[in-house]
Amino acid sequence: MTDTEPDVGDDVVLLTVPADGGYLGVLRTATAGLAARLHFALDEIEDLRIAVDEACAMLLAIATRNAELECRFAVTDDALTVEVTVATVRGARLPSESSFAWKVLTALTTSAAAEANGRQATIRLLTRRTEF
């Protein structure tokens, strides 16, 4: 199991919205609500909202017409994993890991990973709550 895969006992929330920028607010709100449930600090919640927004923007740029963003939130005691997937146009590629977009994702989360197989692309973000 990798660091971003949820365990069997995790709470999982699935949310699907049209792959349109107008619906990203729904995903940002869900992200904030779940992070608040885990008692993330306000700064951590905002960072995660920005990271989800950035990941979705990367996916929207390569999405097929009329695609849907499938968002899977896995909630554990101290972490939130957000996995966003979209159907992609042929030959679509995500920005390189040295791009500014990836620098943003890695700065705002505990870890970020992506995969694209020619038919769909997925970005996984893991954020662990800061211990006090």
Side-chain angles (χ1 to χ4, degrees):
M1 176 176 325
T2 67
D3 200 25
T4 58
E5 291 180 12
D7 281 329
V8 175
D10 296 348
D11 288 337
V12 175
V13 176
L14 302 172
L15 185 58
T16 302
V17 298
D20 179 290
Y23 291 92
L24 295 185
V26 174
L27 298 180
R28 287 191 302 267
T29 300
T31 300
L34 291 168
R37 179 176 171 218
L38 291 171
H39 306 291
F40 277 37
L42 291 177
D43 288 347
E44 293 171 318
I45 293 171
E46 188 58 26
D47 286 351
L48 188 54
R49 284 171 38 107
I50 293 167
V52 167
D53 198 53
E54 188 67 35
C56 289
M58 287 195 294
L59 292 173
L60 288 179
I62 59 172
T64 59
R65 174 175 256 166
N66 299 320
E68 294 181 327
L69 283 172
E70 297 175 5
C71 195
R72 182 177 192 269
F73 300 91
V75 180
T76 63
D77 289 338
D78 69 340
L80 178 61
T81 301
V82 182
E83 182 176 288
V84 185
T85 302
V86 72
T88 60
V89 296
R90 180 177 299 204
R93 296 176 57 189
L94 289 164
S96 74
E97 291 187 15
S98 63
S99 70
F100 179 74
W102 274 103
K103 300 265 188 244
V104 170
L105 290 183
T106 57
L108 297 175
T109 61
T110 304
S111 68
E115 63 183 70
N117 65 14
R119 295 182 306 128
Q120 68 180 22
T122 301
I123 297 177
R124 282 179 206 83
L125 307 172
L126 169 70
T127 300
R128 293 199 183 284
R129 183 180 65 231
T130 303
E131 297 297 323
F132 295 97

